[in-house]
Amino acid sequence: HSCVFKFSGAWQIITGSSVLDISSCPITYYGQKYEQIYVTFMSENIAFCFDNFFNPETGGDCLVGTAPDLDSVEFWINEPNAGIQKLIYDNVATIQNRMECYVLFIMELNGKDVFEALVGGVTTDIMAVSFGPYNRQYQRFFDISGCRHAGAVYEYGAVLSSDPKTCFSLTCSDTAALQISSCGPLERCEGNGICMLNSTCTVTGPTVIDFHGQVNSVENRCSYSLVLTPSVPNFHVLGNFLERRLKDMSFLDSVTLVLDRPSIKFHLEQGGRVRLDNTILTLNSSPQLVHNVELSKDRTGVTAKLLLSYSTISVFFDGYTAQIHLEGPADLPLEGLCGNSSRSLSDLRLSEYSSTSCEVKYNDPADSTINCNKMIERCNLLKEAPFSSCNSDIDPEPYITACTDTLCKYPAVDGLNCQFLKAYARACSLLNHTLDGWTSKTSCSSAAFCQDRICSDHEFCGQKTVGGDTRCFCRAIFASKYRSTDTLGDQTVCSQNSALLSLVGCLLEDKGIDYSALHLNDPTCRGQMDKLTHMVTFSFNSSNSCGMVVTTNNSHIIYTNTITNQNSSSDVITRRDQVYIDFSCVHIQPAIQTANFRIRDSSVIQHATPSVWNYTLTMKAYTDVGRTQAVESFAEVPLNQRIWVELKANGLDEEMVAMVTDSCWATDLASSTGSLRYDLIINGCANPADQTVEVKENGWGTSNYFFFNMFQFTGSSGEIYLHCKIHLCPKRRNKCIPTCKGAARRCRPASSKYKRAAPAFISLAWTN
């Protein structure tokens, strides 16, 4: 017999019954390991026993054969021998491992000798060896490998017991070892001896408990691969993580199923909302088949089930916990955070579904109000009844770890104190554990938290009051930019004729402000909430001023309104917070420096770019009354030819503001204070001393024009420069049209309720 064990080295001559120590090279005899050999010399036989000296009445585990011719036996424990190892491999199929030592007995035998292998005194094998002058058999082998079970001995390959209903079997393996076969921890028996994959991956809060019960934690706000399998091409389950009340802790926010091709995506979101790409689906408890995915929704959450010919993949999501349940072949390969836990988080992050800032780290101060010991006690309920009835099938420790790691850092609000208990209970239900009474013991509900409350992308659903109503809260990172400046919304947006201010709905709720009670100075002008973003927008414009107040100073015209929750009544007291949010848009008066252009350019354009309302001033010269024939570049303009000059402000709303030309004059130098000066327009009216000058539409809207006959300064043949002073006039409650007397030859400024701003210059120049 060849032994494959550690070698220590020994040799001796045995002449009588002896006990031999073979602990350095133990022998396994029909499944039982021995470290001693009892040698018994008898008159006609010799016995090599392993459990005691040979007794014909009790037998034992022995090799019993013909006594040697000489009353002595040579005993060896030897080092491995390659030749003997090959000889054994060739003749004893059950020996497959490497030889480390072997026990050798050398005896003189002549004639026909017989050896029996006894197990418990019962003969299990017989070996006959014949020696003679012409027939010398040098090798014969006992295969003493085998298995013992319940007092019986079995040959290798034998099936000791089997039960197809439980998929349990006990066999003696090819290497003569007892082998128990049953379904693995992720499998269940189909009742026909076949094991099928039956396992659940739970993703709850920041924690992933994979199919093997291993725990992983997501610490950023990225999207990750949860499950994909090469055997189901183009199928992928993604988990998308976002922050809630704290910036430095993320939670599972939604689940995405990618199917068939990248363009088909099912999005399972908070509140039980399901989108197919950008289309919201209407679901109920009756399953609907959409692109081979069976979709349903009940009070506990949404289920998406993919039915294949050989397996079923089910994804459940209640807005906060996802559970992916697989049923299929036991050898189904699984990848992603739920399957292959050996891959790092960074390898499984999906950049194409994640924001560029998802890995930015934040540090919030520790919450000193959290009683961690109390939370640990709460989480350990999973080891008590009725949960304990499921502990043998689903290890509660990964769920307890997820629970304590989260609740010792994050307040137990928004259903979080029940979230991990509920996740364990549902995982147990998938293995037919009902856990009767778990909801009453934990004061939890099996219904989905925040079901049918839809929040925007920058919000999450949470508890408004302890054990009470729910509402949408601002996510911490989104809200931080407003809270840091103590604001409730974005900057005012000013367009050509309107002003718009957007407030953040969840920030208003944080302050206890009901957006529907807010209005502008005109109580009929109320905010409008966007159904998707929950932003509340207030606006006013030239056609609906909503109580707009207009003020002016030397540099600005200011249009102001106020968002408030106060009525114009004379109530003496109020029992709600008073809201006053002023917002405004301004026109910057055109502070333009003198710009000089010769007639070859025929026009001048200056841009005024204030921080809110933008507009452009244009000054052009024409040769016709319709102002369609601009003065051509380098064209000669004869003396006394009539010239029309148009001034226009582009980008202003003429319902709200008018442009007024205060004065225009000509000089012989580029400076507006040249030594020679000739006035064309004075105080908004034509110079009464020049009958060729006439002013049109001044103060009517955002453009006006005048005409005069071309001239030159006496005694000068140089350049002529034209300068104009203009200003903007708010039309509301102000009269902007100058009053000119004497058939438009004499004038006086219009009366006004505001102090007119200092006008600015715009100039044209030409040479004769």
Side-chain angles (χ1 to χ4, degrees):
H1 176 65
S2 174
C3 303
V4 187
F5 296 99
K6 185 177 178 181
F7 166 75
S8 62
W11 172 84
Q12 67 184 90
I13 299 294
I14 303 169
T15 57
S17 296
S18 306
V19 179
L20 305 177
D21 181 7
I22 59 169
S23 59
S24 61
C25 188
I27 290 177
T28 299
Y29 184 80
Y30 287 100
Q32 182 67 47
K33 181 179 177 181
Y34 292 106
E35 295 184 350
Q36 289 181 316
I37 295 180
Y38 298 83
V39 181
T40 304
F41 285 88
M42 295 171 284
S43 59
E44 296 181 357
N45 297 98
I46 187 170
F48 302 92
C49 297
F50 300 96
D51 49 0
N52 210 330
F53 288 107
F54 178 72
N55 183 335
E57 295 181 0
T58 60
D61 290 351
C62 302
L63 293 173
V64 180
T66 306
D69 293 343
L70 300 177
D71 293 333
S72 66
V73 175
E74 194 172 342
F75 166 68
W76 292 82
I77 296 179
N78 284 343
E79 294 180 351
N81 181 286
I84 295 178
Q85 178 173 275
K86 183 179 184 307
L87 183 66
I88 293 171
Y89 284 169
D90 292 342
N91 290 274
V92 185
T94 57
I95 303 297
Q96 298 177 4
N97 49 357
R98 183 175 59 86
M99 174 186 286
E100 294 186 6
C101 62
Y102 66 96
V103 174
L104 175 66
F105 290 97
I106 300 176
M107 300 178 294
E108 289 289 338
L109 296 172
N110 290 300
K112 187 175 182 180
D113 301 285
V114 176
F115 279 82
E116 296 183 33
L118 307 179
V119 176
V122 178
T123 300
T124 60
D125 199 1
I126 297 176
M127 177 178 68
V129 183
S130 299
F131 290 94
Y134 306 104
N135 181 22
R136 297 187 62 84
Q137 295 176 311
Y138 294 99
Q139 296 95 23
R140 285 289 183 270
F141 297 91
F142 268 135
D143 185 353
I144 60 173
S145 61
C147 303
R148 301 190 191 200
H149 179 68
V153 176
Y154 299 89
E155 295 181 351
Y156 64 89
V159 177
L160 282 64
S161 64
S162 66
D163 183 357
K165 292 183 178 180
T166 62
C167 295
F168 175 86
S169 66
L170 179 64
T171 60
C172 184
S173 71
D174 290 342
T175 57
L178 283 176
Q179 186 173 32
I180 297 175
S181 176
S182 63
C183 295
L186 306 183
E187 302 166 353
R188 64 176 172 82
C189 185
E190 292 288 286
N192 55 2
I194 298 176
C195 294
M196 297 289 286
L197 181 68
N198 183 32
S199 185
T200 301
C201 172
T202 297
V203 187
T204 184
T207 306
V208 179
I209 304 171
D210 69 17
F211 291 118
H212 306 278
Q214 302 299 310
V215 176
N216 217 328
S217 183
V218 175
E219 297 180 350
N220 54 38
R221 300 161 306 285
C222 302
S223 296
Y224 287 88
S225 170
L226 296 180
V227 177
L228 70 160
T229 173
S231 61
V232 186
N234 301 318
F235 174 77
H236 200 174
V237 181
L238 287 62
N240 310 299
F241 293 81
L242 284 175
E243 88 284 4
R244 292 190 201 168
R245 296 177 184 263
L246 301 179
K247 298 190 293 292
D248 64 350
M249 198 164 187
S250 64
F251 292 81
L252 179 68
D253 187 69
S254 63
V255 176
T256 302
L257 277 68
V258 181
L259 187 67
D260 290 339
R261 55 184 185 275
S263 61
I264 296 180
K265 300 183 183 68
F266 291 94
H267 304 276
L268 313 186
E269 301 174 336
Q270 285 190 11
R273 183 171 67 179
V274 177
R275 288 189 296 113
L276 172 58
D277 297 327
N278 292 318
T279 303
I280 297 176
L281 303 179
T282 301
L283 303 176
N284 52 41
S285 58
S286 298
Q288 298 181 32
L289 195 63
V290 183
H291 291 293
N292 294 322
V293 176
E294 191 177 272
L295 297 168
S296 62
K297 175 183 175 182
D298 59 21
R299 60 188 293 271
T300 66
V302 173
T303 301
K305 185 180 294 185
L306 181 63
L307 303 173
L308 303 172
S309 57
Y310 52 87
S311 62
T312 299
I313 303 175
S314 177
V315 180
F316 169 84
F317 186 57
D318 64 2
Y320 292 88
T321 296
Q323 289 183 305
I324 304 163
H325 185 68
L326 296 184
E327 295 179 279
D331 58 351
L332 187 67
L334 299 171
E335 299 178 8
L337 280 176
C338 286
N340 187 355
S341 59
S342 63
R343 295 186 62 185
S344 66
L345 273 174
S346 58
D347 290 340
L348 298 172
R349 182 174 63 85
L350 303 171
S351 57
E352 63 269 33
Y353 294 94
S354 306
S355 71
T356 55
S357 60
C358 73
E359 291 187 292
V360 175
K361 293 185 177 181
Y362 296 88
N363 289 299
D364 286 307
D367 189 341
S368 59
T369 65
I370 295 176
N371 185 336
C372 189
N373 290 331
K374 185 177 180 181
M375 295 300 101
I376 292 174
E377 182 180 348
R378 172 77 175 177
C379 299
N380 276 319
L381 288 175
L382 292 177
K383 292 191 288 189
E384 300 178 8
F387 298 104
S388 56
S389 64
C390 180
N391 288 175
S392 59
D393 287 331
I394 298 180
D395 186 1
E397 289 300 332
Y399 291 83
I400 293 172
T401 299
C403 180
T404 55
D405 285 353
T406 302
L407 292 180
C408 283
K409 300 176 184 176
Y410 193 93
V413 294
D414 308 331
L416 203 59
N417 62 332
C418 289
Q419 185 170 314
F420 300 93
L421 306 180
K422 187 188 300 185
Y424 185 81
R426 189 177 185 280
C428 291
S429 71
L430 295 172
L431 297 181
N432 299 318
H433 290 274
T434 57
L435 304 186
D436 292 335
W438 79 267
T439 55
S440 58
K441 178 172 182 176
T442 59
S443 299
C444 296
S445 170
S446 59
F449 181 73
C450 280
Q451 183 82 310
D452 296 323
R453 182 175 290 279
I454 306 302
C455 298
S456 68
D457 290 343
H458 61 258
E459 298 172 330
F460 69 94
C461 183
Q463 282 178 315
K464 186 176 182 180
T465 57
V466 177
D469 294 336
T470 62
R471 73 168 179 89
C472 294
F473 288 83
C474 293
R475 297 190 188 276
I477 296 174
F478 169 82
S480 62
K481 63 181 179 181
Y482 300 102
R483 290 170 179 159
S484 63
T485 56
D486 196 25
T487 56
L488 295 174
D490 298 320
Q491 291 185 345
T492 306
V493 176
C494 300
S495 60
Q496 180 176 345
N497 64 350
S498 66
L500 180 147
L501 179 65
S502 294
L503 302 180
V504 181
C506 52
L507 290 177
L508 292 174
E509 285 206 64
D510 287 348
K511 297 287 187 180
I513 300 172
D514 180 4
Y515 87 92
S516 65
L518 300 178
H519 55 80
L520 297 180
N521 288 337
D522 182 346
T524 64
C525 297
R526 296 185 175 271
Q528 301 298 315
M529 176 174 279
D530 186 285
K531 293 183 179 179
L532 291 179
T533 65
H534 293 175
M535 299 292 285
V536 182
T537 301
F538 296 84
S539 64
F540 63 89
N541 53 44
S542 57
S543 60
N544 188 11
S545 62
C546 293
M548 172 183 66
V549 176
V550 182
T551 58
T552 183
N553 57 33
N554 286 339
S555 59
H556 298 84
I557 302 172
I558 305 167
Y559 302 83
T560 304
N561 219 317
T562 301
I563 300 173
T564 182
N565 60 354
Q566 301 302 304
N567 295 321
S568 58
S569 64
S570 57
D571 292 341
V572 178
I573 66 169
T574 180
R575 286 189 171 90
R576 63 180 179 183
D577 290 337
Q578 300 180 61
V579 178
Y580 291 99
I581 303 173
D582 289 331
F583 68 108
S584 59
C585 286
V586 303
H587 281 312
I588 295 180
Q589 294 283 11
I592 302 171
Q593 301 298 322
T594 300
N596 302 315
F597 294 86
R598 301 181 188 279
I599 197 67
R600 60 177 176 265
D601 293 325
S602 75
S603 67
V604 58
I605 300 175
Q606 292 292 330
H607 296 278
T609 309
S611 59
V612 283
W613 269 321
N614 299 330
Y615 59 94
T616 301
L617 290 178
T618 303
M619 187 176 183
K620 290 186 178 182
Y622 299 90
T623 60
D624 65 316
V625 66
R627 303 184 304 285
T628 60
Q629 302 297 319
V631 177
E632 297 292 338
S633 299
F634 303 102
E636 293 183 1
V637 181
L639 288 174
N640 207 35
Q641 177 175 331
R642 178 160 290 185
I643 299 295
W644 283 262
V645 177
E646 184 179 53
L647 295 102
K648 181 181 291 187
N650 297 308
L652 296 179
D653 182 2
E654 63 180 11
E655 297 295 326
M656 299 179 68
V657 68
M659 185 183 72
V660 180
T661 301
D662 290 324
S663 59
C664 290
W665 68 97
T667 63
D668 62 334
L669 299 175
S671 171
S672 61
T673 59
S675 59
L676 295 177
R677 172 177 174 140
Y678 183 75
D679 291 309
L680 296 172
I681 300 176
I682 303 170
N683 292 329
C685 300
N687 182 355
D690 188 338
Q691 298 299 313
T692 71
V693 180
E694 192 168 339
V695 182
K696 299 289 187 180
E697 301 178 4
N698 197 12
W700 288 17
T702 56
S703 67
N704 58 63
Y705 68 96
F706 66 95
F707 59 83
F708 66 98
N709 288 3
M710 190 63 189
F711 63 90
Q712 71 179 41
F713 287 103
T714 303
S716 173
S717 60
E719 297 174 332
I720 294 176
Y721 295 86
L722 181 63
H723 313 275
C724 290
K725 282 184 178 181
I726 62 173
H727 75 273
L728 300 181
C729 172
K731 281 187 170 183
R732 192 166 184 269
R733 298 175 183 168
N734 292 293
K735 187 176 180 182
C736 299
I737 301 174
T739 302
C740 297
K741 294 183 178 180
R745 294 304 174 194
R746 300 183 63 83
C747 65
R748 63 179 174 83
S751 61
S752 177
K753 296 180 181 179
Y754 67 95
K755 182 179 179 181
R756 192 169 65 187
F761 291 101
I762 187 166
S763 303
L764 268 176
W766 59 86
T767 182
N768 58 9

